[in-house]
Structure formats: C-alpha cells, structure tokens
Amino acid sequence: MKEQITEEQIREALCLRHTEAVQKKLSAARTAVAGLGGLGSHIAFFLARIGVGHLHLIDFDRVDLSNLNRQQYRLCHLGMYKTEALRQELLELNPYLQITADCVKVDEENLRQLFEEDEIICEAFDRAEQKALLVNGILEHFPEKKLIAASGMAGFGDSNRIRTRKIAGNFYLCGDGESESLPGTGLMAPRVALCAAHEANAAVSLILGKEPC
C-alpha cells in the first residue's frame, strides 16, 4: 500500500519550487475556469499543478470522443460531465485542492451569482456568442475582477503569434486574434495548449501582483 501523502508534504514540495511567500499567494487565490474543453481543461491543470488553492470549474457538457484530440480527458471519462471528470483528475494531482464545480451553462440570469466569489476569471468557451456573453457580463457586473479571455488559436501555425495583451482595465486577451477553426486547420492540441498556458500564466502573474504583459 502506498504511503498517504499529506497536505503539508505537498505544500513543502511546492514551496521548494516557488518559495513560501509566492506559494502563500497561490494557495489563497480563487480562480474560475469557464469552459473545460481544450483551453479550460489545460488551464485548470496548469493552475492545479502549481497549487492555486481554490478552483471554480464551470461547464455543462459531457466528454465525447471528439474531445480527446486536445482536451485533458481519457477514454475512461467518455460520457462523464466534464466538471466531474476534471475534478477527479485534478484531485489525483493534489487531493487537498478546494474545487467547486458547477455543471451549468452560463447565461445572463446566473452569471452574477456564479462568479461572485471568484477573483480571477479565465474564459475558455468555444463559441463566440458564449465568449461575448461572459466577457460583457463580467465587465458590466464585476469590473474590479480580473478577466482573461482568448481569441485565435486554431491550426498549427507560428507559435510566437500567440501572445497576451491588455485590452482595458482588468481585461486581458490571449491568442493571435485571427486564426479560425477551418477544415485542415482546426483546433489542435499543441496550439490550443499554448494559448491555455498564456491564460494560466496571466492568472499567475495577476495573483502575484504583476502585469501579465
């Protein structure tokens, strides 16, 4: 039987890499990931691995076979709600994370209540109308919250075109802002993960009091 790893052991390992001061801020942070597909599942993994202590996972979809080309799921997760599949995986990395999972579609009625407790919100939806609803809603109701969104990550083109830039106030955008998912240049794991890493890195920078761009 494997020895049970304690919360303190995990914290000590993280502090060894990040320092006590940095890890204290990461552990206290409250970050939401809205959309748990190719972007969101990677963002959540990155944040969980560095010990962001409070993660809020939001999605209404189930895992299907077409997701496995770019999302952090496996065959054993087929048919499961993404919120539960991802929660299961993240707790295997660190069973002491505080994870809130809402299996719901974000709309104008529930947006304010859903994100009320979150400090940083990572937008990771697939559809433009969903992105617009979330971004406009957060900017209207929670202008003080940090919002990180994404646009343009399809295909397999120049990695260096994906970047992070400040749009206004507390609103940041990651991606190249141009590439669309088209036949032959659809959403592929490497470039989607690059954009996810930009979002996660921006979140970490904001948690630590730095401008991400």
Side-chain angles (χ1 to χ4, degrees):
M1 180 180 293
K2 291 183 180 179
E3 180 183 356
Q4 177 68 35
I5 300 297
T6 68
E7 183 174 8
E8 185 58 31
Q9 286 174 307
I10 291 177
R11 179 175 175 77
E12 287 177 358
L14 290 169
C15 288
L16 184 64
R17 292 294 181 184
H18 304 151
T19 75
E20 176 70 31
V22 166
Q23 191 56 49
K24 183 176 181 180
K25 292 179 181 180
L26 292 172
S27 297
R30 307 186 69 90
T31 303
V33 182
L36 304 178
L39 268 178
S41 62
H42 281 87
I43 293 169
F45 255 78
F46 293 143
L47 297 178
R49 285 190 183 280
I50 63 169
V52 171
H54 306 266
L55 294 174
H56 184 188
L57 309 178
I58 303 166
D59 202 304
F60 66 93
D61 204 3
R62 294 178 184 267
V63 179
D64 68 44
L65 197 57
S66 69
N67 299 151
L68 303 188
N69 82 314
R70 69 192 185 284
Q71 302 181 18
Q72 285 279 13
Y73 304 107
R74 293 169 285 144
L75 287 172
C76 63
H77 296 127
L78 292 178
M80 291 179 64
Y81 282 111
K82 291 182 179 179
T83 46
E84 288 309 306
L86 193 58
R87 186 216 295 262
Q88 180 185 97
E89 291 198 285
L90 297 181
L91 291 177
E92 288 178 4
L93 290 174
N94 183 346
Y96 305 104
L97 294 172
Q98 293 187 24
I99 298 177
T100 301
D102 280 307
C103 187
V104 64
K105 186 174 184 178
V106 178
D107 58 33
E108 293 179 354
E109 280 68 46
N110 63 21
L111 184 145
R112 291 184 70 175
Q113 183 178 0
L114 273 174
F115 297 101
E116 190 172 12
E117 301 298 322
D118 302 310
E119 301 165 345
I120 297 173
I121 296 141
C122 294
E123 177 276 317
F125 290 141
D126 290 333
R127 300 183 180 278
E129 60 270 23
Q130 290 178 300
K131 290 175 177 287
L133 184 148
L134 177 62
V135 168
N136 291 335
I138 296 301
L139 293 178
E140 177 184 355
H141 299 300
F142 302 111
E144 77 285 358
K145 295 183 184 292
K146 306 294 192 298
L147 173 63
I148 308 164
S151 176
M153 69 210 74
F156 48 88
D158 186 353
S159 299
N160 294 325
R161 288 180 57 208
I162 293 187
R163 60 192 184 95
T164 302
R165 55 197 183 278
K166 185 173 184 175
I167 302 302
N170 293 319
F171 179 30
Y172 302 84
L173 189 65
C174 303
D176 63 27
E178 298 176 7
S179 57
E180 299 181 37
S181 181
L182 300 170
T185 56
L187 294 171
M188 298 182 178
R191 210 155 187 266
V192 171
L194 276 172
C195 192
H198 270 259
E199 284 207 53
N201 194 49
V204 172
S205 296
L206 291 167
I207 290 168
L208 300 180
K210 305 289 185 181
E211 278 290 315
C213 53

